[in-house]
Each structure stands twice: as C-alpha cells, then as structure tokens.
Amino acid sequence: MWRLFKIIVSILKGLLWLAVVLLVACMAVLYLLERGLPAPLLHRLESALSNEDRFVRIERATFSLKRGIQFHRVKAFPKRVAGQALVSVDEITVDLALSPGLDASKRIRGVTLKQVVLPDLPPEQEESQELPELPVLAPFPLRVKQADILGIKADYLTATVATSATRVDVTEVVVYLPNPSFKLKVDGQVTIDLQAQRVYGRAQG
C-alpha cells in the first residue's frame, strides 16, 4: 500500500514542479501563441515524472490565462511489467496565481482532476530510493470529477491539500458516491507522513 502512496506523492511533486517552475517561465509565450506546450518541454516533464519503476505519458498540455495549465490524458505505466496503466487521468487542470511578488508556496489556487482511474495496486517492486522532499505549499482546493479507485467509484470529491517537506495533509474531504436512490456522502481527512511512512485518516458518513 505504501508503494501506491509513493507513486501518488512523486506524481504530485512532478506536477507541482512543472506548474510552479517551468510553466510560469513559459506562460506568456504559450498564451500569445495560443498553442499547447512544445513537445520538447512535454518530454522533459514526462522524464521528470518517470523513474526506474514506471514511465509517464502525457498526450497534450495547454495553457491559458482563463483556464490555467491543463494536462490531457495522463497515464503512468509500469516498467518491465506488461499490463494496463497504473493510473490514468483524463484531464488535470492547475489554476495558478500570477501576481508578481507572491510567494511560490501560494501560487497554486486549485487543482481539478477529471476521470481518474486506478484499477489495481501497483505490482511488487524492489524498494527504491527514499522520496525527495516535497515543496512547501499553502492549502489549496482539490476537486475530482468522476473517479474509479480500486473498483470504488465516486461521482465527485472535494478536499483541501497542503504539503510540507515530509508531509501531505488532505483535509475537509467530501466524497459523493453514486447511488440510484439517494446522494451518498462521506466526509474525512488523510495525513501522509513520508518520514514515518505512515498514513493516518478518518472517515464518516
């Protein structure tokens, strides 16, 4: 189970790295050209998100001042093991604050994921090197529209996410599960402690 959280955290780190560092530098050019992220930069991002156990593919990435940075059809595949994608997301939108002088930890205003699919736990792999430190990020809203996680489907999920160097806090979690008779709602929170390699959480509903 810890391998699953290592994948999630490392993917989160890569996306934040791109959003805060790479695309902030390129956003003006992309906006003026009204085009997607150039292929060489997209390949660099894929390489940054990949490691010895998996490789990541992103079909397309675009930027606009109105919608922010959008990644389309993002998938992670296992290396050395033939099979379906470990995880796939149809669309990832990162809303960035572009105000000059704003601290980097406060530049992410929100993240939205659409059509998230995690069909199974990652295959057994040798333990890799320790995770690098995460960037420090102020709390931001996370929205997930349509998810299928290990066979459990959710119509909608909202949460507040904050990170420190060795910790991810996901609070104010609200999950709406599909039910033909009535709207089923589950509330909770999750803390991922990278240093202790522990996951804490609670849920009610």
Side-chain angles (χ1 to χ4, degrees):
M1 191 62 165
W2 181 245
R3 285 185 295 274
L4 171 61
F5 287 108
K6 288 178 72 176
I7 290 176
I8 294 173
V9 170
S10 57
I11 289 175
L12 173 64
K13 178 179 173 62
L15 292 175
L16 296 177
W17 168 82
L18 176 72
V20 176
V21 181
L22 180 61
L23 290 182
V24 168
C26 300
M27 59 188 177
V29 175
L30 294 178
Y31 178 70
L32 292 174
L33 295 177
E34 295 184 352
R35 297 175 59 186
L37 187 70
L41 293 181
L42 193 58
H43 294 331
R44 288 185 61 183
L45 172 61
E46 291 175 333
S47 297
L49 293 174
S50 302
N51 63 14
E52 60 185 19
D53 293 327
R54 70 172 185 278
F55 64 93
V56 175
R57 290 293 176 263
I58 304 172
E59 183 175 304
R60 188 166 57 96
T62 58
F63 174 82
S64 73
L65 294 179
K66 182 178 181 180
R67 293 186 297 271
I69 176 70
Q70 290 185 309
F71 306 94
H72 304 272
R73 285 169 285 284
V74 180
K75 295 183 179 182
F77 295 91
K79 289 183 177 178
R80 300 181 297 275
V81 179
Q84 60 186 344
L86 296 171
V87 61
S88 64
V89 185
D90 190 63
E91 183 180 287
I92 302 173
T93 301
V94 181
D95 184 11
L96 297 174
L98 307 179
S99 303
L102 186 65
D103 188 84
S105 66
K106 300 178 180 179
R107 288 201 174 274
I108 295 184
R109 296 189 299 196
V111 176
T112 301
L113 311 180
K114 294 182 180 180
Q115 298 290 341
V116 180
V117 178
L118 179 68
D120 203 351
L121 289 174
E124 292 289 337
Q125 300 282 354
E126 295 183 1
E127 289 297 327
S128 57
Q129 61 184 3
E130 295 183 0
L131 285 172
E133 289 188 352
L134 288 170
V136 176
L137 293 175
F140 62 87
L142 170 68
R143 292 173 289 273
V144 179
K145 301 177 181 179
Q146 301 294 324
D148 186 345
I149 309 298
L150 304 178
I152 301 175
K153 296 183 179 181
D155 288 334
Y156 196 71
L157 178 150
T158 61
T160 299
V161 179
T163 68
S164 63
T166 60
R167 180 181 172 115
V168 180
D169 289 301
V170 186
T171 58
E172 301 176 318
V173 180
V174 179
V175 183
Y176 293 95
L177 302 175
N179 188 294
S181 302
F182 60 93
K183 183 177 292 186
L184 184 59
K185 174 183 173 184
V186 178
D187 302 311
Q189 66 180 52
V190 176
T191 296
I192 303 173
D193 190 328
L194 304 181
Q195 187 170 17
Q197 296 193 357
R198 297 279 305 271
V199 179
Y200 311 88
R202 67 168 182 82
Q204 62 183 20

PDB file of all heavy atoms in Angstrom, residues 111-129:
ATOM      1  N   VAL A 111      -6.574  22.686  -7.942  1.00  0.00           N
ATOM      2  CA  VAL A 111      -6.283  21.601  -8.879  1.00  0.00           C
ATOM      3  C   VAL A 111      -7.561  20.808  -9.102  1.00  0.00           C
ATOM      4  O   VAL A 111      -8.267  20.478  -8.141  1.00  0.00           O
ATOM      5  CB  VAL A 111      -5.176  20.666  -8.353  1.00  0.00           C
ATOM      6  CG1 VAL A 111      -4.966  19.480  -9.295  1.00  0.00           C
ATOM      7  CG2 VAL A 111      -3.868  21.436  -8.155  1.00  0.00           C
ATOM      8  N   THR A 112      -7.869  20.520 -10.374  1.00  0.00           N
ATOM      9  CA  THR A 112      -9.052  19.737 -10.723  1.00  0.00           C
ATOM     10  C   THR A 112      -8.638  18.533 -11.559  1.00  0.00           C
ATOM     11  O   THR A 112      -7.896  18.681 -12.536  1.00  0.00           O
ATOM     12  CB  THR A 112     -10.067  20.577 -11.519  1.00  0.00           C
ATOM     13  OG1 THR A 112     -10.465  21.707 -10.727  1.00  0.00           O
ATOM     14  CG2 THR A 112     -11.306  19.750 -11.863  1.00  0.00           C
ATOM     15  N   LEU A 113      -9.112  17.354 -11.173  1.00  0.00           N
ATOM     16  CA  LEU A 113      -8.852  16.122 -11.914  1.00  0.00           C
ATOM     17  C   LEU A 113     -10.175  15.584 -12.454  1.00  0.00           C
ATOM     18  O   LEU A 113     -11.187  15.594 -11.755  1.00  0.00           O
ATOM     19  CB  LEU A 113      -8.217  15.059 -11.008  1.00  0.00           C
ATOM     20  CG  LEU A 113      -7.017  15.467 -10.151  1.00  0.00           C
ATOM     21  CD1 LEU A 113      -6.543  14.282  -9.322  1.00  0.00           C
ATOM     22  CD2 LEU A 113      -5.892  15.998 -11.005  1.00  0.00           C
ATOM     23  N   LYS A 114     -10.139  15.080 -13.691  1.00  0.00           N
ATOM     24  CA  LYS A 114     -11.331  14.507 -14.306  1.00  0.00           C
ATOM     25  C   LYS A 114     -11.046  13.078 -14.770  1.00  0.00           C
ATOM     26  O   LYS A 114      -9.997  12.817 -15.359  1.00  0.00           O
ATOM     27  CB  LYS A 114     -11.788  15.353 -15.503  1.00  0.00           C
ATOM     28  CG  LYS A 114     -12.280  16.744 -15.131  1.00  0.00           C
ATOM     29  CD  LYS A 114     -12.754  17.508 -16.362  1.00  0.00           C
ATOM     30  CE  LYS A 114     -13.248  18.899 -15.997  1.00  0.00           C
ATOM     31  NZ  LYS A 114     -13.703  19.653 -17.195  1.00  0.00           N
ATOM     32  N   GLN A 115     -11.987  12.195 -14.481  1.00  0.00           N
ATOM     33  CA  GLN A 115     -11.901  10.803 -14.924  1.00  0.00           C
ATOM     34  C   GLN A 115     -10.599  10.138 -14.443  1.00  0.00           C
ATOM     35  O   GLN A 115      -9.721   9.773 -15.229  1.00  0.00           O
ATOM     36  CB  GLN A 115     -12.002  10.715 -16.449  1.00  0.00           C
ATOM     37  CG  GLN A 115     -13.310  11.221 -17.032  1.00  0.00           C
ATOM     38  CD  GLN A 115     -14.489  10.295 -16.704  1.00  0.00           C
ATOM     39  OE1 GLN A 115     -14.310   9.136 -16.363  1.00  0.00           O
ATOM     40  NE2 GLN A 115     -15.704  10.821 -16.816  1.00  0.00           N
ATOM     41  N   VAL A 116     -10.509   9.951 -13.138  1.00  0.00           N
ATOM     42  CA  VAL A 116      -9.347   9.297 -12.540  1.00  0.00           C
ATOM     43  C   VAL A 116      -9.614   7.799 -12.431  1.00  0.00           C
ATOM     44  O   VAL A 116     -10.654   7.396 -11.898  1.00  0.00           O
ATOM     45  CB  VAL A 116      -9.044   9.878 -11.150  1.00  0.00           C
ATOM     46  CG1 VAL A 116      -7.829   9.194 -10.530  1.00  0.00           C
ATOM     47  CG2 VAL A 116      -8.828  11.383 -11.232  1.00  0.00           C
ATOM     48  N   VAL A 117      -8.687   6.993 -12.917  1.00  0.00           N
ATOM     49  CA  VAL A 117      -8.844   5.539 -12.863  1.00  0.00           C
ATOM     50  C   VAL A 117      -7.590   4.912 -12.272  1.00  0.00           C
ATOM     51  O   VAL A 117      -6.478   5.100 -12.796  1.00  0.00           O
ATOM     52  CB  VAL A 117      -9.111   4.931 -14.256  1.00  0.00           C
ATOM     53  CG1 VAL A 117      -9.215   3.407 -14.166  1.00  0.00           C
ATOM     54  CG2 VAL A 117     -10.383   5.514 -14.853  1.00  0.00           C
ATOM     55  N   LEU A 118      -7.747   4.190 -11.177  1.00  0.00           N
ATOM     56  CA  LEU A 118      -6.685   3.394 -10.562  1.00  0.00           C
ATOM     57  C   LEU A 118      -7.216   1.972 -10.442  1.00  0.00           C
ATOM     58  O   LEU A 118      -7.890   1.636  -9.474  1.00  0.00           O
ATOM     59  CB  LEU A 118      -6.305   3.955  -9.187  1.00  0.00           C
ATOM     60  CG  LEU A 118      -5.215   3.203  -8.432  1.00  0.00           C
ATOM     61  CD1 LEU A 118      -3.872   3.352  -9.132  1.00  0.00           C
ATOM     62  CD2 LEU A 118      -5.114   3.683  -6.992  1.00  0.00           C
ATOM     63  N   PRO A 119      -6.948   1.113 -11.444  1.00  0.00           N
ATOM     64  CA  PRO A 119      -7.598  -0.198 -11.490  1.00  0.00           C
ATOM     65  C   PRO A 119      -7.110  -1.183 -10.450  1.00  0.00           C
ATOM     66  O   PRO A 119      -7.852  -2.087 -10.042  1.00  0.00           O
ATOM     67  CB  PRO A 119      -7.284  -0.690 -12.906  1.00  0.00           C
ATOM     68  CG  PRO A 119      -6.027   0.021 -13.283  1.00  0.00           C
ATOM     69  CD  PRO A 119      -6.102   1.359 -12.618  1.00  0.00           C
ATOM     70  N   ASP A 120      -5.857  -1.055  -9.997  1.00  0.00           N
ATOM     71  CA  ASP A 120      -5.302  -2.048  -9.082  1.00  0.00           C
ATOM     72  C   ASP A 120      -4.118  -1.447  -8.352  1.00  0.00           C
ATOM     73  O   ASP A 120      -3.606  -0.390  -8.731  1.00  0.00           O
ATOM     74  CB  ASP A 120      -4.858  -3.284  -9.875  1.00  0.00           C
ATOM     75  CG  ASP A 120      -4.811  -4.537  -9.001  1.00  0.00           C
ATOM     76  OD1 ASP A 120      -4.944  -4.410  -7.766  1.00  0.00           O
ATOM     77  OD2 ASP A 120      -4.630  -5.636  -9.562  1.00  0.00           O
ATOM     78  N   LEU A 121      -3.667  -2.140  -7.299  1.00  0.00           N
ATOM     79  CA  LEU A 121      -2.460  -1.709  -6.612  1.00  0.00           C
ATOM     80  C   LEU A 121      -1.255  -1.933  -7.517  1.00  0.00           C
ATOM     81  O   LEU A 121      -1.255  -2.846  -8.353  1.00  0.00           O
ATOM     82  CB  LEU A 121      -2.287  -2.495  -5.306  1.00  0.00           C
ATOM     83  CG  LEU A 121      -3.276  -2.167  -4.184  1.00  0.00           C
ATOM     84  CD1 LEU A 121      -3.064  -3.135  -3.022  1.00  0.00           C
ATOM     85  CD2 LEU A 121      -3.120  -0.735  -3.707  1.00  0.00           C
ATOM     86  N   PRO A 122      -0.207  -1.126  -7.382  1.00  0.00           N
ATOM     87  CA  PRO A 122       0.981  -1.307  -8.215  1.00  0.00           C
ATOM     88  C   PRO A 122       1.593  -2.688  -7.994  1.00  0.00           C
ATOM     89  O   PRO A 122       1.497  -3.259  -6.896  1.00  0.00           O
ATOM     90  CB  PRO A 122       1.932  -0.204  -7.729  1.00  0.00           C
ATOM     91  CG  PRO A 122       1.043   0.791  -7.074  1.00  0.00           C
ATOM     92  CD  PRO A 122      -0.096   0.033  -6.488  1.00  0.00           C
ATOM     93  N   PRO A 123       2.234  -3.271  -9.022  1.00  0.00           N
ATOM     94  CA  PRO A 123       2.867  -4.580  -8.854  1.00  0.00           C
ATOM     95  C   PRO A 123       4.037  -4.514  -7.885  1.00  0.00           C
ATOM     96  O   PRO A 123       4.596  -3.435  -7.627  1.00  0.00           O
ATOM     97  CB  PRO A 123       3.339  -4.912 -10.279  1.00  0.00           C
ATOM     98  CG  PRO A 123       3.480  -3.594 -10.952  1.00  0.00           C
ATOM     99  CD  PRO A 123       2.405  -2.722 -10.380  1.00  0.00           C
ATOM    100  N   GLU A 124       4.428  -5.653  -7.357  1.00  0.00           N
ATOM    101  CA  GLU A 124       5.550  -5.718  -6.430  1.00  0.00           C
ATOM    102  C   GLU A 124       6.824  -5.242  -7.123  1.00  0.00           C
ATOM    103  O   GLU A 124       7.147  -5.661  -8.225  1.00  0.00           O
ATOM    104  CB  GLU A 124       5.742  -7.147  -5.925  1.00  0.00           C
ATOM    105  CG  GLU A 124       4.610  -7.639  -5.033  1.00  0.00           C
ATOM    106  CD  GLU A 124       4.618  -6.964  -3.677  1.00  0.00           C
ATOM    107  OE1 GLU A 124       5.696  -6.485  -3.272  1.00  0.00           O
ATOM    108  OE2 GLU A 124       3.561  -6.911  -3.025  1.00  0.00           O
ATOM    109  N   GLN A 125       7.533  -4.342  -6.457  1.00  0.00           N
ATOM    110  CA  GLN A 125       8.792  -3.826  -6.978  1.00  0.00           C
ATOM    111  C   GLN A 125       9.794  -3.773  -5.835  1.00  0.00           C
ATOM    112  O   GLN A 125       9.430  -3.689  -4.662  1.00  0.00           O
ATOM    113  CB  GLN A 125       8.613  -2.418  -7.573  1.00  0.00           C
ATOM    114  CG  GLN A 125       7.623  -2.337  -8.710  1.00  0.00           C
ATOM    115  CD  GLN A 125       8.191  -2.848 -10.019  1.00  0.00           C
ATOM    116  OE1 GLN A 125       9.377  -3.172 -10.103  1.00  0.00           O
ATOM    117  NE2 GLN A 125       7.355  -2.952 -11.034  1.00  0.00           N
ATOM    118  N   GLU A 126      11.072  -3.813  -6.196  1.00  0.00           N
ATOM    119  CA  GLU A 126      12.092  -3.609  -5.181  1.00  0.00           C
ATOM    120  C   GLU A 126      11.996  -2.195  -4.639  1.00  0.00           C
ATOM    121  O   GLU A 126      11.695  -1.256  -5.373  1.00  0.00           O
ATOM    122  CB  GLU A 126      13.488  -3.841  -5.771  1.00  0.00           C
ATOM    123  CG  GLU A 126      13.732  -5.282  -6.208  1.00  0.00           C
ATOM    124  CD  GLU A 126      15.144  -5.465  -6.718  1.00  0.00           C
ATOM    125  OE1 GLU A 126      15.905  -4.474  -6.694  1.00  0.00           O
ATOM    126  OE2 GLU A 126      15.468  -6.576  -7.142  1.00  0.00           O
ATOM    127  N   GLU A 127      12.240  -2.056  -3.344  1.00  0.00           N
ATOM    128  CA  GLU A 127      12.153  -0.738  -2.731  1.00  0.00           C
ATOM    129  C   GLU A 127      13.187   0.190  -3.357  1.00  0.00           C
ATOM    130  O   GLU A 127      14.378  -0.114  -3.410  1.00  0.00           O
ATOM    131  CB  GLU A 127      12.395  -0.836  -1.210  1.00  0.00           C
ATOM    132  CG  GLU A 127      11.246  -1.497  -0.469  1.00  0.00           C
ATOM    133  CD  GLU A 127       9.962  -0.699  -0.572  1.00  0.00           C
ATOM    134  OE1 GLU A 127      10.036   0.545  -0.619  1.00  0.00           O
ATOM    135  OE2 GLU A 127       8.890  -1.316  -0.617  1.00  0.00           O
ATOM    136  N   SER A 128      12.739   1.308  -3.852  1.00  0.00           N
ATOM    137  CA  SER A 128      13.633   2.272  -4.485  1.00  0.00           C
ATOM    138  C   SER A 128      14.164   3.259  -3.451  1.00  0.00           C
ATOM    139  O   SER A 128      13.877   3.161  -2.264  1.00  0.00           O
ATOM    140  CB  SER A 128      12.888   3.015  -5.602  1.00  0.00           C
ATOM    141  OG  SER A 128      11.745   3.638  -5.090  1.00  0.00           O
ATOM    142  N   GLN A 129      14.917   4.220  -3.910  1.00  0.00           N
ATOM    143  CA  GLN A 129      15.492   5.207  -3.017  1.00  0.00           C
ATOM    144  C   GLN A 129      14.407   6.018  -2.338  1.00  0.00           C
ATOM    145  O   GLN A 129      13.278   6.068  -2.773  1.00  0.00           O
ATOM    146  CB  GLN A 129      16.413   6.134  -3.813  1.00  0.00           C
ATOM    147  CG  GLN A 129      15.696   6.902  -4.902  1.00  0.00           C
ATOM    148  CD  GLN A 129      16.644   7.727  -5.728  1.00  0.00           C
ATOM    149  OE1 GLN A 129      17.841   7.686  -5.528  1.00  0.00           O
ATOM    150  NE2 GLN A 129      16.110   8.496  -6.647  1.00  0.00           N
TER     151      GLN A 129
END
